[in-house]
Amino acid sequence: MSVEFEEIAKMRENPSEDYTTPVEFSDEEGYGKYLDLHECYEKYINLKGIEKVDYITYLSLFDHLFDIPRERKNSEYRNYIRALLTYLKDFVSRVKPLQDQAQEMAAAHQEFLKVWEPGMFPGWPKETGGALTNVGAHLDLSAFSSWEELASLGLDRLKSALMALGLKCGGTLEERAQRLFSTKGQTALDKSLVAKKGANKAKATTQQRHKDIAAIEAQVYRFANIVSSTRAATIENVTRRAARAAGERRDESDEESDTSVTGDVDSDDDEVPYNPKNLPLGWDGKPIPYWLYKLHGLNISYSCEICGNFTYKGPKAFQRHFAEWRHAHGMRCLGIPNTAHFANVTQIEDALALWEKIKNQKEGERFVAENDEEYEDSQGNVVNRKTYEDLKRQGLL
Ligand SMILES: [Zn+2]
């Protein structure tokens, strides 16, 4: 007892990796509040012959597996419900870690077997003319003295009697009657008459496969039941989100079509019908939303004297225009190179003043031979011409 206690205490002090890793949930799952069945949904709508439904509908019918006709339940379907079951089990293990899954599954399987055998499992009605058992009705041949008498019973009765013996049951009335009559008084059946076991075997595997699929379905029902409250919350959540998204779209279009407010109307602009705020057109040829118009500051105009008092709408267009043709042309007319120094200068006076200043600065930096020519004295020192001459005059060289 004390050893166990010490072990637990040790484990608590030095938790190993397994104990420190938090349970992970996807964004959609909201820490276990909701289901995230998008992956299963993808698989579902890609099943052949399945009605294409939206995600919300899918959430409410993913466990209506009995509505899917049994002919559609192929291996692809099996993969789908396996994936679905895997997700549900995984989800339950994350939100209800104390739940005994093995026990849950065993109980589900027991229940399934109980209803499967009598053919009561939803979606899987018992096939008529079962493959494994010889369902035909036995016929007492001692009452018949010839095959012609048997033939008088008719095709169906003969077929049933043949099946009861596990014999081939096809052929004409005569063939069937003769085949059945030939067994009279025999203890061992003629091999050539016995129905092929291969066909039965194939049927048996098919049945086994159906049973496997149905068993998985039973587990899905069980786990769907366990998560039923989470599922209801999920449907609510997804619906709410969809409604919100739709609402936002509607608000946006309302704003676009709202014509009661008048903004600053620039008479210079081209006339656009149904656009009282004179909003610029977007890529789709419609006026851009008003909030976008405000966001980009398109209601603010900037004019530029260098461009001949042309006005630009929005700071972006204004900033860009300094490198564009109209401004470049204006600068060329002033005889000023359109360099980065002149960015943001819009007044002709300012531009000319700046140009003068820059020119003077450049002048100072220019190479003047009288001053800057280099001279070297007898000791190898390099000095400029002015210094050299000063030194020479003082007789220091
Ligand atoms: Zn300009």
Side-chain angles (χ1 to χ4, degrees), residues 106-268:
H109 196 65
Q110 282 302 323
E111 262 172 48
F112 162 69
L113 290 179
K114 253 186 258 164
V115 290
W116 173 258
E117 291 307 340
M120 308 279 281
F121 191 69
W124 297 92
K126 195 118 181 141
E127 271 178 294
T128 46
L132 283 178
T133 47
N134 294 315
V135 291
H138 272 282
L139 194 61
D140 185 7
L141 294 176
S142 59
F144 298 90
S145 53
S146 70
W147 66 263
E148 284 90 350
E149 282 177 43
L150 276 174
S152 66
L153 294 172
L155 278 168
D156 289 340
R157 184 68 190 89
L158 289 178
K159 179 178 181 174
S160 162
L162 284 164
M163 272 167 71
L165 292 170
L167 298 179
K168 290 175 183 171
C169 56
T172 61
L173 182 65
E174 286 78 24
E175 282 168 352
R176 289 185 194 185
Q178 283 168 1
R179 195 183 306 140
L180 184 59
F181 194 72
S182 70
T183 64
K184 186 179 176 182
Q186 305 250 332
T187 44
L189 295 172
D190 188 343
K191 282 252 171 65
S192 66
L193 300 179
V194 175
K196 280 203 186 87
K197 280 275 178 274
N200 272 346
K201 220 172 167 182
K203 274 190 178 174
T205 49
T206 311
Q207 264 231 328
Q208 186 56 43
R209 216 183 55 225
H210 285 169
K211 191 177 169 182
D212 289 347
I213 292 178
I216 302 173
E217 287 182 358
Q219 305 278 358
V220 170
Y221 294 145
R222 184 80 167 202
F223 280 92
N225 199 30
I226 294 174
V227 300
S228 60
S229 59
T230 315
R231 176 187 177 180
T234 309
I235 294 174
E236 208 174 287
N237 183 42
V238 174
T239 313
R240 193 168 51 221
R241 250 189 358 209
R244 201 186 306 151
E248 274 167 15
R249 273 198 298 277
R250 207 175 38 243
D251 286 351
E252 211 168 277
S253 58
D254 278 356
E255 181 131 336
E256 273 179 52
S257 58
D258 179 16
T259 55
S260 58
V261 189
T262 44
D264 52 339
V265 178
D266 199 332
S267 53
D268 289 351

